[in-house]
Amino acid sequence: DKRQRVIRPRLSDAAFFFETDKKTTLTHKREQLKKVVFQVKLGTTFEKTTRVASLAKVIAKQLGVDEVQAERAGQLCKSDLVSEMVYEFADMQGIAGFHYAHHDGETADVALAMNEHYLPRFAGDKLPTTMTGNIVALADRLDTLVGIFGIGEQPTGSKDPFALRRASVGVLRLLIEQSLNLDLRELLASAFAQYKSLNKPLSAGEAVVEQVLQYMLERLRSWYEEQDIPVEVFQAVSVKKLSFPLDINQRIQAVNHFRLLDASAALAAANKRVANIVAKAGDAIPAEVDTALLQEPAERALAKAVAASQKEVTPLFKIRDYKAALTALASLQDVVDTFFEDVM
């Protein structure tokens, strides 16, 4: 069979490369990365793995998980790039590393991270199954984003040679879908600190942290648009200048749910009216309500309802159950409408 004649030699080559690669460990292969350039201004791939490992350790500490595993996986995550197998079969990167790590006696988590740190590879792709894989996946992408932005090579128009858009969405998906409660601004600052500690100055300086943060939040807006969540919902949350993607997502889902409630339109109109009154009043409105001054039944009813709602929703906001909190607040519609109708 013609296909067999083509495939058999390739499989024979792969078996030979596999056996050859197993003669040296991933630790030994990592040394060869000192000759592989990651990016001219950002140094070698070996230096990248040093930064990724240090950043992975920082992230692991923030999450309260095994720092040693995360750091080890970060150090070895690119070692298979110099293997005979990956040199000949590029699609085997990560997969080869997984098998070589097992052969070297590395832990199961470290071995899985060799392959899983590339996830998600494309839109809609699966995510890592281990915390170590998640952490190294974050560290690898954050290092690339900060480094490339730091030397002024950020994407322009349709050009994105370092796939920074994909890297950004990957980080956001990891933080949101894996429920990692991490501050993106702080993560980017930590990534910047790794370049500084290795004496790899970035021309953008510390300003790169805010540059990358805003770029990534813009990607987040596009991500929600693809999910058919109106841009005004995203804007309603983004105006608060938050940087925890998991918290941002929880708020957006809650606002989007609130938008569909019958009471939302009336409450939004009332809120706009209140905002205009407050803006015109300036500092004349005290912080606390003096209930002794309330005379009209409608305003007394509103004050009582607001106080009751505050007791109900404050605990919900503390545990970030925004959907339940906004749904509870929607019950204020009747007393709010009555207030604006009866009190002039």
Side-chain angles (χ1 to χ4, degrees), residues 247-291:
D247 186 53
I248 290 171
N249 181 65
Q250 289 167 324
R251 290 170 185 263
I252 284 175
Q253 299 302 335
V255 173
N256 196 48
H257 175 263
F258 175 79
R259 177 181 67 90
L260 302 174
L261 299 178
D262 292 338
S264 66
L267 285 169
N271 184 68
K272 188 175 182 180
R273 194 168 174 182
V274 170
N276 289 334
I277 293 169
V278 171
K280 289 175 183 176
D283 298 328
I285 299 177
E288 300 294 327
V289 175
D290 184 352
T291 53

Side-chain angles (χ1 to χ4, degrees), residues 51-196:
R51 294 191 302 267
V52 167
S54 296
L55 182 54
K57 186 177 181 181
V58 170
I59 297 171
K61 186 175 183 179
Q62 289 179 17
L63 292 171
V65 298
D66 195 323
E67 297 171 38
V68 175
Q69 298 260 66
E71 185 176 29
R72 180 65 174 166
Q75 290 168 345
L76 299 180
C77 67
K78 305 298 180 185
S79 292
D80 69 347
L81 296 181
V82 292
S83 67
E84 296 286 345
M85 179 71 80
V86 174
Y87 180 79
E88 189 66 28
F89 304 100
D91 289 346
M92 287 295 291
Q93 73 174 38
I95 300 169
F98 165 75
H99 289 287
Y100 297 148
H102 264 306
H103 178 264
D104 293 350
E106 301 290 345
T107 65
D109 267 15
V110 168
L112 275 168
M114 297 302 97
N115 189 35
E116 288 194 334
H117 83 282
Y118 288 111
L119 302 176
R121 288 183 173 87
F122 50 84
D125 191 19
K126 61 185 178 181
L127 299 178
T129 62
T130 64
M131 189 57 74
T132 302
N134 283 319
I135 290 169
V136 181
L138 283 172
D140 185 22
R141 288 164 173 80
L142 290 165
D143 174 78
T144 298
L145 281 157
V146 169
I148 301 302
F149 264 81
I151 59 172
E153 295 289 336
Q154 54 263 46
T156 54
S158 60
K159 292 183 179 179
D160 186 13
F162 291 93
L164 299 189
R165 290 185 183 91
R166 190 170 66 210
S168 295
V169 174
V171 167
L172 294 166
R173 281 193 63 200
L174 288 162
L175 294 175
I176 293 170
E177 294 179 30
Q178 303 286 55
S179 298
L180 304 178
N181 188 33
L182 296 168
D183 184 347
L184 185 52
R185 180 181 279 110
E186 191 177 323
L187 290 177
L188 293 168
S190 295
F192 174 77
Q194 306 313 319
Y195 279 98
K196 200 171 181 181

